[in-house]
Amino acid sequence: MSNNPSLQRDNQTLFDKDGVSLFATILSPNNSNSDDDHEGIILTLSIHRQHEKNVVNPTLISLLIEALDMIDTHPLLVNTNNKSLIITGLAFDTNYIPQTSKFFSNGLDLQWMLQANSNGTTKSPSSTLIESYNSQVLARILTLPFTTVAAINGHCIGAGLFLCLSTDYRIMRTKRGYISWPEANLGMRLTKGFSELSKAKISNHTVLREGILTAKKYTSSEALENGIIDIKCDIEELYNVAFDRAVEGLPDSMNLEYFDPRAYSKCCIDVLCI
């Protein structure tokens, strides 16, 4: 559908703040003059805080929550079920053309965690951070009532990997970047939420054993071979491949005659045991 010449793509920025952007690509008939007359909406959540390597800290979590709230409430989106979401570390220029960037996410902000934990508060700020990330970001993405796709443009470590695992499909660039559970290397353990998410999305116990207990760094080829990602492709094609996968995941594309977003969300919960 995305390559159908009878359709036009109209982009609208819905959220743009401090290195996190959300825009909608409306797939419309060429003779349409209304946002209501469309063949689907592909949302793109772009995390482009490359100066921080897209690390997960309170600022990023707050921004992601704002973007997810926009998905739930924006007038363009609330009245249609025919939508999908792409999450990526790619930045986009003013013409919505993706720009190459090195990091999807380098994981938790260890510098912030060390500084916050040194303040001597009763409850560890790191624990609060991770709880917030699990409940307000990852759990929301896991149960979104539409298809979600991660376009992994570069290094995808720890909390960044868990963000990818919260989506339905994962597409990774070739040649540069790797995926890793870094906890063993950092002298940390997996939280229960991170552990359950890993087990829900990676069915091969041997892969979990190797990835978690050795902190192995997986290339795109190794990640594909071990079932961590679904597709690998050159960086020049990454966004297009993710976009096509998102279009294929539209309820109308799948010919889901009686699609119910509430039932779909409950299916996500049932399947993932969360």
Side-chain angles (χ1 to χ4, degrees), residues 34-143:
S34 171
D35 289 343
D36 296 328
D37 183 17
H38 63 74
E39 300 296 323
I41 297 176
I42 306 301
L43 297 164
T44 300
L45 178 58
S46 165
I47 307 169
H48 47 101
R49 297 169 57 83
Q50 291 291 322
H51 62 290
E52 291 188 349
K53 302 179 181 179
N54 286 346
V55 292
V56 175
N57 54 30
T59 299
L60 180 59
I61 291 173
S62 177
L63 291 165
L64 291 175
I65 291 170
E66 287 189 66
L68 292 170
D69 287 344
M70 186 65 67
I71 292 173
D72 288 340
T73 60
H74 194 280
L76 178 66
L77 307 176
V78 294
N79 294 319
T80 181
N81 296 327
N82 201 35
K83 55 197 174 192
S84 297
L85 172 67
I86 300 167
I87 301 176
T88 186
L90 291 168
F92 292 79
D93 65 17
T94 55
N95 294 315
Y96 300 95
I97 304 300
Q99 308 297 300
T100 301
S101 43
K102 186 176 180 180
F103 294 92
F104 179 88
S105 172
N106 213 39
L108 293 172
D109 188 339
L110 299 179
Q111 184 176 355
W112 179 90
M113 292 171 64
L114 287 171
Q115 183 176 355
N117 290 341
S118 67
N119 292 332
T121 55
T122 303
K123 185 173 183 179
S124 165
S126 296
S127 298
T128 302
L129 174 82
I130 292 171
E131 288 174 8
S132 176
Y133 187 54
N134 275 324
S135 63
Q136 298 186 64
V137 177
L138 301 185
R140 287 180 69 178
I141 294 170
L142 272 164
T143 57

Side-chain angles (χ1 to χ4, degrees), residues 144-155:
L144 284 172
F146 45 80
T147 295
T148 55
V149 181
I152 307 170
N153 55 286
H155 298 314

Side-chain angles (χ1 to χ4, degrees), residues 9 16 71 73 99 160 171 188 253:
R9 294 187 186 184
D16 186 15
I71 292 173
T73 60
Q99 308 297 300
I171 301 166
M188 301 172 63
S253 298

Side-chain angles (χ1 to χ4, degrees), residues 10-40:
D10 296 313
N11 296 303
Q12 293 186 22
T13 298
L14 309 183
F15 177 83
D16 186 15
K17 182 179 178 181
D18 199 13
V20 173
S21 305
L22 175 71
F23 65 89
T25 302
I26 305 165
L27 302 174
S28 306
N30 281 325
N31 59 358
S32 173
N33 295 314
S34 171
D35 289 343
D36 296 328
D37 183 17
H38 63 74
E39 300 296 323

Side-chain angles (χ1 to χ4, degrees), residues 202-262:
I202 308 296
S203 60
N204 190 325
H205 180 267
T206 302
V207 176
L208 288 175
R209 181 179 63 192
E210 177 186 59
I212 295 172
L213 299 186
T214 72
K216 176 180 172 63
K217 296 178 179 179
Y218 292 86
T219 64
S220 59
S221 295
E222 292 169 330
L224 180 62
E225 181 182 352
N226 286 283
I228 302 171
I229 63 172
D230 300 285
I231 302 172
K232 64 173 183 175
C233 62
D234 291 342
I235 185 62
E236 293 81 8
E237 295 299 320
L238 178 66
Y239 184 68
N240 288 336
V241 173
F243 194 95
D244 287 344
R245 176 61 261 187
V247 171
E248 291 169 6
L250 291 169
D252 283 4
S253 298
M254 295 188 288
N255 298 315
L256 300 180
E257 186 174 359
Y258 300 110
F259 180 78
D260 183 331
R262 290 170 296 182

